Amino acid sequence: MKKNIIICVAFLLIVLAKTATAQKDFHSWALTPPMGWNSWDCYGSSVTEAEVKLNADYMAKELKKSGWEYIVVDIRWFVENDKAGGYNQTDPRYVMDEYGRYLPALNRFPSAANGKGFKALADYIHSKGLKFGIHIMRGVPKQAVEKKLPIKGTNITADQIYTTDLQCKWLKDNYTVLADKPGAQEYYDSILELYASWGVDFIKVDDLSRPYHQGEIELIRKAIDKTGRPIVLSTSPGETPIENAKHVESHANMWRMVDDVWDTWPHITHLMKVAEQWYPYIKPGSWPDCDMIPLGRISIRGERGGDRQSRLTQQEQYVLMTFFTIFKSPLMFGGDMPSLDPFTKSLLTNKEVLKMSKDGTDVKLIYSENGKVAITSKNIKTGERYLALFNISDDKESKNLKVSLKDLGVKNCKASNLWTGKFAGDFDNEITANLAPHSSLLYILK
């Protein structure tokens, strides 16, 4: 009798804990921009468990103390025979369970044997004090539809919840889920229940933004909340329509503003231009997302180009990191961490710059004109101001940039270079700087 009472009490405590988590606003799960590593830029759709572990080991040893914590396995972890430089869409060998839910390919993730899924890998990453994430495509697998596989917990089959309309144009693994069909919510509930049982802390859901799939986003949000596990939700990719800003910020922790950002200068300038409309939506728990950081050694088996160090110059890399951090974008590093060079590591571990990324508030675009850009934010804890200046033009000549201290709410100040810590001077009335093309400055003003 006593044993039964103990079991009942334990069960009740578990239920109450899950309920409390589900009722807690999901924005509280990412009060500062998430920081981590994603396998896409290095390994495309063919990353292996061994490679994930090596990157996790490096993060735990070298970057965790700087705030880096997520390890994310990107696209098609459930395909046994995918390839570098794109996707095998001719004869992909999918792995899934009897309910039409993808499972890790054992030839790439051997610890998933015996029905363990990603549980063992997640446990390994958690043992390092890190968090584990995965990528999925929206929708229901075509193979589940063709086989009329049952949706867990229902008498409905996959072929009853799909449509071929708005199928992803660049990857044909899945069909669109009709959000208003009986079984649609239950299907998403079933996959999120599975991921939660594995110990997933972060989920990146692809092909949600162009066009904007409001119905499926709502299904995903509800499914995550039902698990009782705080799983950070990232919507991707493409230019999320600004008219959907209110909806996406009320359903996701982060959302992509642009397509994939690679190591070319036009990718950076396009990103900065698109971002101009998103400044009002930078808030704790909901972050406009600049995409991954394509620095260090990338494309070992990537989608674009061969194995290489980032093609951006050092000054262009400063531009990228300065913009990502003052804009308070999530920081998802795309390079191979075990191959990290000293310069790239210095960009990822600068204490003061990362402090700005976490503590900066009231992010504002002061101006963007003729290739000259000025952005500011404020450290609400200290009252210090941050100021980022950019010359992103392709002109060969340097440009003079000016910012009125009045626009910053400051009468006079002492400025230091946030990247180097060096004193930059005393300023009255305005701050001026002469910047070469494709370069930037980042100041802290006291």
Side-chain angles (χ1 to χ4, degrees):
M1 181 68 178
K2 185 177 179 181
K3 183 178 180 182
N4 289 338
I5 292 172
I6 293 172
I7 291 172
C8 289
V9 170
F11 177 75
L12 180 60
L13 289 173
I14 292 170
V15 170
L16 289 173
K18 285 191 172 184
T19 301
T21 302
Q23 290 175 345
K24 193 173 182 179
D25 181 13
F26 73 87
H27 293 99
S28 66
W29 305 342
L31 291 177
T32 58
M35 298 170 60
W37 174 82
N38 181 295
S39 62
W40 170 249
D41 283 357
C42 286
Y43 301 107
S45 55
S46 63
V47 69
T48 66
E49 181 171 355
E51 289 162 338
V52 173
K53 284 184 172 181
L54 285 172
N55 277 274
D57 292 346
Y58 184 93
M59 180 181 286
K61 182 180 179 181
E62 302 291 342
L63 300 182
K64 178 186 170 186
K65 55 183 173 287
S66 296
W68 299 86
E69 60 177 346
Y70 288 96
I71 296 289
V72 181
V73 176
D74 208 86
I75 199 164
R76 276 191 141 195
W77 38 265
F78 45 81
V79 176
E80 293 179 331
N81 60 337
D82 222 334
K83 62 179 184 178
Y87 306 103
N88 175 10
Q89 300 202 65
T90 304
D91 59 346
R93 295 197 304 271
Y94 301 113
V95 182
M96 67 177 61
D97 69 7
E98 68 270 31
Y99 299 114
R101 302 179 299 183
Y102 289 124
L103 300 174
L106 296 185
N107 61 331
R108 294 166 53 196
F109 299 94
S111 71
N114 302 315
K116 293 179 181 177
F118 272 132
K119 181 69 167 61
L121 180 56
D123 286 347
Y124 180 86
I125 289 168
H126 291 154
S127 75
K128 301 282 181 178
L130 304 174
K131 296 181 179 180
F132 177 62
I134 61 172
H135 168 290
I136 66 168
M137 297 296 296
R138 68 172 176 87
V140 59
K142 286 173 60 178
Q143 192 172 92
V145 170
E146 292 163 2
K147 294 182 177 181
K148 299 184 179 181
L149 296 180
I151 295 169
K152 187 182 179 185
T154 76
N155 58 2
I156 300 167
T157 52
D159 57 300
Q160 296 175 278
I161 66 168
Y162 89 104
T163 176
T164 57
D165 293 342
L166 301 177
Q167 185 184 17
C168 179
K169 294 181 179 179
W170 47 269
L171 188 59
K172 304 296 185 179
D173 294 337
N174 292 1
Y175 287 128
T176 299
V177 167
L178 289 166
D180 59 350
K181 286 284 188 180
Q185 183 66 61
E186 289 80 358
Y187 178 71
Y188 272 110
D189 289 351
S190 75
I191 63 173
L192 265 301
E193 175 189 59
L194 180 65
Y195 304 155
S197 74
W198 291 343
V200 168
D201 306 296
F202 180 103
I203 183 169
K204 172 184 173 182
V205 187
D206 216 327
D207 195 46
L208 281 173
S209 302
R210 191 179 56 233
Y212 188 77
H213 292 273
Q214 180 168 325
E216 289 196 74
I217 290 172
E218 291 173 0
L219 296 178
I220 295 163
R221 174 76 270 144
K222 290 176 184 176
I224 292 174
D225 292 342
K226 286 181 181 180
T227 70
R229 185 173 180 82
I231 301 173
V232 169
L233 173 60
S234 167
T235 70
S236 177
E239 298 186 6
T240 301
I242 192 66
E243 57 266 27
N244 298 112
K246 290 292 185 182
H247 186 268
V248 75
E249 74 170 0
S250 66
H251 287 78
N253 296 104
M254 48 192 276
W255 58 90
R256 286 273 291 280
M257 298 180 292
V258 294
D259 286 328
D260 290 1
V261 172
W262 282 99
D263 53 330
T264 73
W265 183 247
H267 278 95
I268 299 174
T269 54
H270 174 69
L271 167 65
M272 293 177 72
K273 183 65 179 176
V274 172
E276 291 179 10
Q277 61 191 332
W278 287 106
Y279 285 83
Y281 299 96
I282 301 172
K283 300 173 185 176
S286 58
W287 309 105
D289 180 11
C290 289
D291 191 28
M292 282 169 277
I293 299 169
L295 303 184
R297 184 187 178 192
I298 60 175
S299 208
I300 294 171
R301 294 191 306 279
E303 182 199 26
R304 302 191 192 183
D307 187 347
R308 63 184 183 275
Q309 287 293 122
S310 179
R311 294 171 293 192
L312 298 171
T313 68
Q314 286 197 356
Q315 287 304 313
E316 290 170 344
Q317 293 181 51
Y318 274 119
V319 168
L320 184 150
M321 288 300 297
T322 297
F323 180 70
F324 274 51
T325 51
I326 197 165
F327 188 80
K328 295 181 70 70
S329 171
L331 303 177
M332 287 290 164
F333 183 61
D336 180 60
M337 288 186 287
S339 307
L340 207 55
D341 61 283
F343 174 71
T344 306
K345 185 178 180 181
S346 74
L347 295 177
L348 303 181
T349 57
N350 186 291
K351 183 177 179 181
E352 294 304 315
V353 174
L354 293 178
K355 179 181 177 182
M356 175 190 69
S357 175
K358 291 179 180 178
D359 296 343
T361 60
D362 194 25
V363 184
K364 290 182 179 178
L365 176 67
I366 302 172
Y367 60 74
S368 177
E369 55 190 27
N370 300 319
K372 298 186 288 187
V373 179
I375 304 168
T376 187
S377 68
K378 182 179 181 179
N379 187 317
I380 197 169
K381 296 178 181 179
T382 65
E384 295 164 327
R385 273 278 175 188
Y386 302 108
L387 177 64
L389 303 174
F390 304 87
N391 177 0
I392 61 172
S393 74
D394 291 322
D395 298 341
K396 294 183 180 180
E397 302 297 324
S398 297
K399 288 184 179 290
N400 289 309
L401 284 80
K402 297 180 180 180
V403 174
S404 168
L405 293 184
K406 184 178 179 180
D407 291 339
L408 302 176
V410 176
K411 291 184 178 180
N412 52 67
C413 65
K414 297 181 181 293
S416 297
N417 185 310
L418 202 60
W419 281 108
T420 65
K422 292 182 179 179
F423 179 65
D426 294 302
F427 292 92
D428 296 308
N429 300 320
E430 66 179 15
I431 290 180
T432 62
N434 186 266
L435 291 180
H438 298 202
S439 69
S440 60
L441 276 173
L442 181 58
Y443 288 135
I444 183 169
L445 310 178
K446 301 183 180 182

